[in-house]
Structure formats: structure tokens, C-alpha cells
């Protein structure tokens, strides 16, 4: 494993090594100490271990890399991720996976407010609970919550799917509970398997999706806008 010690180099130097066209294999970032924008903009299929706490936007704009954070992550972890995998072995702050287009984000702990905001194809699996307004304006992709969800879940939702095992404090505008199909069950189980989560049968989750009332303005729905 190749190592980068942030006690011995700058953040710019560290990210430049990981973003290089010549980057291959496995890397470890030592002494991250909550630095912001760690391991961002990666395009090579490399493995990156962030050995400690990460600040804002860790793993942002990832393509193809597998990033593991051995600690907690600040706001916007894996934001705008295109592909690859990001695994937070602690808690994640607000806006985890924001605007993500693809790939898989796994959070072993809890996630803060607006988890999956404006997600556009990313899959997010949270072993714990999520804060208020998670999946706000989520366009596509899947959010799986093994714990509870805060207020206004799925507000202004488009076509993303939300699976929640615990309690939902309240649903946002145009979000409603849906009947789970066999296809939904297969999708959920595959994401749980990919995240390494066992002991939670797919049948113990509930599915939420868009009621599709806000796609076009209609005066009868004016109070919901």
C-alpha cells in the first residue's frame, strides 16, 4: 500500500498524486485530521483509505475509485459522485451524496440533514438514521435507511426510491408510501448485500416514492408548492 502523510505534505500534493493518470493500486492517507476536500476528483480505479476523520466534501466527484473513511465525514461526503464506491465507517454530516449521479455510498452510522439531496442516480445505504429533508428533490437513484428518517422525507421527490426500516417523522410534499413489488424487493436486497448489511430482511422496510402531483402546476395543488 502506498502512503501519503498529510503531516509531511500539503493537501494539494496529496490529491495531485491520487488524481494522476499513473495512479494505481491501493493508497492510504495518514493524519487527515479533518481536512476538507480529501481524495476529490479521482478518475482511476484505485483503492483509497482515509485513516481518520474527514472534513467537507471528502471523495467528491469520484469516478471509479473505492474510498474508505475510517472515521466520520463532514458535510457533502461523496457529493456529485459519478461512479465507484465510498464507505464511511462512522457518521456523516449533512448533504451526504448530494447531487450524486452514480456509484454507491455506504454510511455505517447516521447521516445528517438532506442526505441524498438532489441525487441523480447514486445509491445510498445508511445503516443508522437520516436527518430532516433527506432525498429532497431526489431525481433518481435509491436511498436505503435502516434506522429512522427525520421530517419532510422525500420533499419534492421526482423518481428516486426511498426504503426505510424504522420510523418516518413526516413525509415532504408529494412523497407517499408505495406498495413494494418483487422488483423493489430484489433491488433493496441487492443494495443491502452490496453494503455488507445482514439481519434486516427486505420485508421489514417500507417504500416511499413520488405521488407525481407536482410535476406540472395545477391550481388544485397550489397549497403543496
Amino acid at each position: 500500500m502506498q502512503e501519503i502523510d498529510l503531516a509531511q505534505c500539503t493537501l494539494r500534493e496529496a490529491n495531485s498524486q491520487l488524481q494522476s493518470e499513473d495512479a494505481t493500486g491501493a493508497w492510504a492517507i495518514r493524519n487527515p485530521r479533518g481536512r476538507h476536500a480529501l481524495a476529490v476528483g479521482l478518475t482511476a480505479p484505485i483503492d483509497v483509505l482515509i485513516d481518520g476523520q474527514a472534513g467537507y466534501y471528502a471523495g467528491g466527484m469520484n469516478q471509479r475509485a473505492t474510498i474508505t473513511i475510517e472515521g466520520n465525514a463532514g458535510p457533502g461526503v461523496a457529493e456529485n459522485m459519478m461512479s465507484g464506491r465510498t464507505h464511511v465507517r462512522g457518521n456523516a454530516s449533512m448533504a451526504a451524496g448530494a447531487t450524486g449521479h452514480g456509484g454507491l455510498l455506504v454510511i455505517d452510522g447516521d447521516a445528517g440533514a438532506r442526505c441524498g439531496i438532489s441525487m441523480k442516480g447514486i445509491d445510498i445505504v445508511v445503516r443508522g438514521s437520516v436527518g430532516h429533508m433527506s432525498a429532497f428533490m431526489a431525481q433518481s437513484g435509491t436511498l436505503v435507511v435502516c434506522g429512522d428518517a427525520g421530517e419532510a422525507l422525500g420533499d419534492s421527490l421526482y423518481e428516486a426510491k426511498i426504503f426505510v426500516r424504522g420510523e418516518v417523522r413526516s413525509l415532504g410534499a408529494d412523497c407517499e408510501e408505495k406498495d413494494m413489488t418483487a422488483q423493489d424487493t430484489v433491488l433493496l436486497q441487492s443494495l443491502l448485500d452490496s453494503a455488507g448489511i445482514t439481519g434486516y430482511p427486505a420485508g421489514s422496510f417500507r417504500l416511499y416514492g413520488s405521488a407525481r402531483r407536482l410535476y406540472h402546476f395545477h391550481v388544485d395543488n397550489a397549497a403543496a408548492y
Side-chain angles (χ1 to χ4, degrees):
M1 180 177 287
Q2 304 164 83
E3 295 195 1
I4 299 173
D5 189 347
L6 283 175
Q8 305 295 327
C9 69
T10 67
L11 178 62
R12 182 182 295 272
E13 290 169 339
N15 279 335
S16 292
Q17 291 185 66
L18 298 173
Q19 293 165 357
S20 170
E21 294 180 357
D22 299 324
T24 59
W27 296 73
I29 300 177
R30 309 296 184 191
N31 296 305
R33 298 174 181 172
R35 301 280 189 91
H36 303 318
L38 289 164
V40 297
L42 306 187
T43 58
I46 59 177
D47 294 322
V48 179
L49 170 68
I50 299 176
D51 188 18
Q53 317 298 335
Y56 289 27
Y57 304 122
M61 301 179 291
N62 180 34
Q63 296 184 53
R64 304 167 69 198
T66 298
I67 301 170
T68 303
I69 301 173
E70 289 286 355
N72 301 320
V77 63
E79 62 88 26
N80 205 35
M81 182 162 71
M82 298 295 173
S83 60
R85 177 188 175 103
T86 300
H87 190 167
V88 181
R89 295 196 180 276
N91 299 316
S93 188
M94 63 181 292
T99 73
H101 286 252
L104 175 65
L105 169 61
V106 179
I107 300 169
D108 284 351
D110 298 324
R114 298 179 179 84
C115 177
I117 181 173
S118 195
M119 53 193 282
K120 299 175 175 68
I122 188 175
D123 292 318
I124 304 174
V125 181
V126 181
R127 189 184 294 267
S129 300
V130 297
H132 65 270
M133 293 196 77
S134 288
F136 173 55
M137 294 188 69
Q139 296 166 39
S140 64
T142 310
L143 172 62
V144 178
V145 182
C146 298
D148 302 326
E151 298 91 342
L153 176 70
D155 190 89
S156 303
L157 188 69
Y158 287 82
E159 290 302 310
K161 294 186 176 184
I162 307 171
F163 296 94
V164 182
R165 186 170 184 268
E167 296 183 3
V168 175
R169 187 70 176 270
S170 67
L171 296 177
D174 212 36
C175 182
E176 65 179 13
E177 186 171 354
K178 302 278 191 179
D179 293 330
M180 282 182 61
T181 66
Q183 186 177 9
D184 294 325
T185 301
V186 170
L187 170 63
L188 173 58
Q189 190 61 58
S190 70
L191 289 174
L192 292 171
D193 292 342
S194 296
I197 295 176
T198 59
Y200 296 152
S204 64
F205 287 78
R206 288 173 292 167
L207 170 63
Y208 300 90
S210 174
R212 300 176 180 169
R213 290 187 295 264
L214 301 184
Y215 279 16
H216 305 287
F217 178 81
H218 193 287
V219 67
D220 291 343
N221 299 324
Y225 287 92

